[in-house]
Amino acid sequence: EVQLVESGGGLVQWGGSLRLTCAASGFMFSEIAMSWVRLAPGEGFEWISAINSGGGRTSYADSVKGRFTISRDNAKNRLYLQMTNLKPEDTAVYYCAAYSGSICYDSVPSDFASWGRGTQVTVSS
């Protein structure tokens, strides 16, 4: 059974930092491109970052570029998102997702085979 479990969310002040972790199991994590996406209150799906299976290629949405860093540890089956200089508009539920194929800039929900349950990130002003 494929499982993606996010953790590390919470309440942080404007300008603060958080590190999200996604624990993966039930599939060959090292062979699958991964992504972080988010859903904000009243907003739609937003793709924010992706990383290829080996970790050597990454991509970011303009809204987070320069502030967020995606990484992975294939030996531990872990995906990470380091978030810095957080803003109130970053408030959302953050999900890790496994691609069906290759990473794609500005991905849409149909690009993904599996999702986690999400972790809430709230940035106070």
Side-chain angles (χ1 to χ4, degrees):
E1 178 188 3
V2 172
Q3 285 197 328
L4 298 169
V5 180
E6 302 91 341
S7 61
L11 175 64
V12 64
Q13 290 188 332
W14 195 342
S17 299
L18 283 174
R19 188 194 197 203
L20 305 184
T21 298
C22 174
S25 62
F27 64 103
M28 290 297 291
F29 179 76
S30 62
E31 297 181 0
I32 302 297
M34 299 293 295
S35 179
W36 288 98
V37 303
R38 66 188 181 189
L39 285 172
E43 303 289 334
F45 168 97
E46 182 183 12
W47 171 86
I48 56 174
S49 186
I51 188 167
N52 70 341
S53 59
R57 180 185 168 201
T58 59
S59 186
Y60 298 92
D62 288 344
S63 60
V64 305
K65 192 175 295 182
R67 301 188 297 122
F68 291 10
T69 303
I70 190 171
S71 62
R72 64 191 296 161
D73 185 336
N74 285 344
K76 295 182 179 179
N77 286 3
R78 295 288 189 271
L79 178 72
Y80 304 103
L81 185 68
Q82 179 68 50
M83 305 186 294
T84 63
N85 191 21
L86 282 160
K87 306 174 182 180
E89 53 263 43
D90 293 318
T91 294
V93 179
Y94 285 70
Y95 300 85
C96 69
Y99 277 95
S100 301
S102 301
I103 67 172
C104 177
Y105 182 83
D106 203 17
S107 300
V108 296
S110 60
D111 290 327
F112 302 106
S114 301
W115 301 74
R117 291 189 174 184
T119 186
Q120 175 71 47
V121 171
T122 302
V123 184
S124 65
S125 56

